[in-house]
């Protein structure tokens, strides 16, 4: 064998040594999977269209009420501090009917009170409310804050939501919707007062006067008894006696503001607008949170005295505070002001809301005239249908 042949054989031998392991490795490896099919690209959006952003609940926490299983007289609502800070402790929420606590709970935000259990069994707590909710209120109390109150008398038994109850620090006000003299009254005076106010709620003003006079005689500093005595006389159209009783309530506790509001109502009946303006301005100065009636009467007095800017501010504040919508005439007065200041377009929805609240019954003629931009009636605006 020539040297040339030997070189060729050596090269073949080296090639076979290097090729054999790779073949063995390929034979032992599993067959590779086929490549994935090409992905079809998503269709392009139509011209001028963009996908909507993901949904985000942007409501305030206070607006996100939880679901409550409700009974035949279930009251729900939401608590909030005026300064939007967290509650330092649980607030006490009570349902008070005719001076008696009939249900209570604790909460720092949403609450529910059951005034009557389903079936109305004799052992259930609360009241049997077949006669309605006259004389019933929801009270929210927290140490260091003014109690917040909502009357239930205008609502029907069933599922009720009283909305947002705002608690204001005591330092923000120098007058209140309650009086501390009640707890200091002797037992016999409180008993006469409780019986008198129950009769007053039933419309028996004459007998209520007798019992409330006994209560004030037994305890002359009984501000609440004087106040409700004034209401009894007011209902009997004995305005001078009502005025004296309201004045006595203020003398007994000058931090108790409801008698000021009632005196303003009496003065409005006599069209004594400077007196109405002064009384309601005092209430607003000392507590601008709890008395929508004071803002309505202040607005009426300002309007009738030609002070339209002040009248508009007070009317808007009355509407803002009137969460239960018991003061529809605030809308009518605001509509008058807007119309007289050449803002008829702004007045139109206010008039429509007034007609909706009253079902078009009281003062519909004036409201329709305002919608037509006709001149309003020349006489003063009387807030006579405001809730006492």
């Amino acid at each position: 064998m020539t040297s040339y042949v030997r070189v060729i054989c050596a090269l073949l031998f080296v090639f076979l040594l290097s090729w054999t392991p790779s073949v063995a490795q390929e034979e032992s490896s599993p067959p590779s999977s086929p490549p994935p099919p090409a992905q079809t690209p998503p269709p392009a959006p139509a011209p001028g269209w963009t996908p909507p952003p993901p949904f985000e609940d942007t409501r305030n926490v206070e607006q996100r009420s939880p679901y409550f299983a409700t009974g035949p007289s279930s009251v729900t609502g939401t608590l909030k501090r005026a300064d939007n800070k967290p509650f330092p402790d649980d607030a006490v929420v009570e349902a008070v009917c005719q001076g008696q606590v009939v249900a209570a709970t604790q909460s720092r935000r949403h609450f529910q009170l059951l005034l009557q259990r389903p079936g109305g069994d004799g052992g259930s707590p609360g009241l049997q409310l077949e006669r309605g909710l006259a004389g019933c209120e929801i009270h929210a109390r927290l140490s260091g804050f003014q109690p917040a109150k909502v009357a239930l008398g205008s609502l029907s038994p069933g599922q009720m939501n009283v909305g947002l109850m705002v608690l204001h620090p005591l330092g923000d006000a120098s007058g209140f919707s309650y009086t501390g003299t009640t707890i200091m009254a002797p037992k016999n005076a409180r008993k006469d007062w409780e019986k008198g106010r129950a009769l007053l709620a039933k419309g028996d003003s004459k007998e209520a006067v007798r019992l409330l006079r006994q209560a004030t005689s037994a305890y002359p500093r009984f501000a609440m008894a004087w106040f409700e005595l004034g209401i009894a006389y007011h209902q009997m159209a004995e305005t001078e006696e009502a005025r004296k009783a309201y004045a006595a309530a203020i003398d007994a506790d000058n931090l108790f503001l409801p008698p000021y509001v009632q005196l303003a109502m009496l003065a409005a009946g006599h069209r004594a607008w400077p007196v109405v303006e002064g009384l309601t301005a005092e209430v607003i100065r000392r507590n601008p949170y709890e008395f929508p009636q004071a803002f309505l009467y202040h607005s009426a007095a300002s309007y009738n005295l030609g002070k339209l800017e002040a009248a508009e501010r007070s009317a808007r504040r009355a509407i803002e505070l009137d969460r239960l919508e018991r003061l529809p005439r605030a809308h009518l007065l605001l509509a008058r002001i807007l119309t007289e200041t050449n803002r008829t377009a702004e007045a139109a929805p206010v008039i429509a809301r007034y007609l909706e609240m009253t079902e078009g019954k009281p003062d519909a003629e004036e409201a329709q005239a305002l919608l037509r931009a006709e001149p309003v009636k020349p006489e003063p605006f009387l807030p006579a249908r405001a809730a006492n």
Side-chain angles (χ1 to χ4, degrees):
M1 183 180 294
T2 63
S3 61
Y4 178 79
V5 173
R6 286 197 297 270
V7 170
I8 294 298
C9 290
L11 290 173
L12 287 172
F13 180 76
V14 171
F15 174 77
L16 288 173
L17 286 176
S18 62
W19 175 78
T20 302
S22 63
V23 172
Q25 184 177 0
E26 287 180 7
E27 290 177 349
S28 62
S29 300
S32 59
S33 58
Q39 296 290 330
T40 304
W49 183 88
T50 55
F55 172 76
E56 181 182 359
D57 192 346
T58 58
R59 294 174 298 164
N60 294 331
V61 173
E62 291 82 2
Q63 295 174 316
R64 303 178 197 165
S65 298
Y67 172 78
F68 286 116
T70 59
S73 290
S74 172
V75 181
T76 60
T78 302
L79 301 177
K80 178 183 177 182
R81 282 180 53 162
D83 54 11
N84 293 317
K85 292 182 179 179
F87 281 72
D89 200 355
D90 288 342
V92 177
V93 184
E94 300 169 326
V96 181
C97 294
Q98 303 298 336
Q100 302 296 320
V101 176
V102 299
T105 188
Q106 291 181 310
S107 178
R108 299 189 190 189
R109 189 175 298 165
H110 306 292
F111 65 86
Q112 179 188 39
L113 291 170
L114 284 178
L115 305 188
Q116 181 186 24
R117 285 182 178 171
D121 56 287
S124 65
L127 296 180
Q128 305 300 313
L129 299 172
E130 293 86 355
R131 297 183 181 179
L133 296 164
C136 294
E137 296 179 327
I138 300 299
H139 295 182
R141 297 185 290 105
L142 182 65
S143 178
F145 291 78
Q146 300 177 58
K149 297 182 181 181
V150 176
L152 300 180
S154 61
L155 305 178
S156 300
Q159 182 182 357
M160 296 166 287
N161 189 296
V162 298
L164 194 62
M165 299 184 70
V166 181
L167 292 164
H168 297 271
L170 286 173
D172 287 354
S174 58
F176 309 99
S177 61
Y178 61 93
T179 171
T181 62
T182 303
I183 60 173
M184 296 185 286
K187 185 176 180 180
N188 62 324
R190 285 202 308 271
K191 187 175 180 180
D192 286 335
W193 164 67
E194 289 170 359
K195 289 181 179 178
R197 73 190 309 222
L199 289 169
L200 189 59
K202 294 178 181 178
D204 190 353
S205 302
K206 186 174 181 180
E207 183 62 17
V209 163
R210 184 184 68 82
L211 289 166
L212 291 168
R213 279 216 166 273
Q214 287 181 185
T216 55
S217 296
Y219 183 55
R221 296 194 59 80
F222 203 159
M224 182 60 80
W226 280 115
F227 172 68
E228 291 180 337
L229 178 62
I231 291 177
Y233 279 126
H234 204 156
Q235 291 180 353
M236 296 166 64
E238 297 187 23
T239 56
E240 180 57 24
E241 292 299 323
R243 186 195 63 77
K244 291 178 181 177
Y246 293 144
I250 294 172
D251 288 341
D253 183 359
N254 62 9
L255 300 181
F256 184 44
L257 297 182
Y260 291 85
V261 180
Q262 294 296 125
L263 282 172
M265 292 180 180
L266 283 178
H270 294 281
R271 303 192 182 191
W273 302 119
V275 176
V276 176
E277 183 186 38
L279 287 166
T280 53
E282 180 67 9
V283 174
I284 292 168
R285 182 185 68 81
R286 295 173 63 181
N287 189 328
Y289 311 114
E290 294 189 76
F291 298 96
Q293 302 99 321
F295 281 96
L296 171 56
Y297 276 78
H298 185 267
S299 178
S302 299
Y303 172 84
N304 292 324
L305 293 171
K307 304 175 182 179
L308 296 187
E309 186 176 343
E312 181 178 345
R313 285 197 305 269
S314 292
R316 291 187 182 278
R317 182 62 173 161
I319 292 169
E320 180 184 353
L321 292 177
D322 184 31
R323 293 192 301 272
L324 294 181
E325 298 186 338
R326 300 174 65 192
L327 304 175
R329 289 181 66 78
H331 293 262
L332 185 61
L333 178 53
L334 179 58
R336 265 202 193 193
I337 297 165
L338 294 173
T339 302
E340 291 184 19
T341 52
N342 300 315
R343 289 176 284 169
T344 53
E346 191 177 345
V350 179
I351 299 168
R353 183 66 188 125
Y354 169 77
L355 292 171
E356 181 184 355
M357 292 170 69
T358 60
E359 299 180 352
K361 293 176 183 177
D363 297 313
E365 182 180 347
E366 178 182 348
Q368 295 293 345
L370 288 171
L371 276 176
R372 296 190 297 269
E374 295 177 2
V376 298
K377 297 179 180 180
E379 63 262 21
F381 183 89
L382 300 175
R385 293 187 182 89
N388 287 349

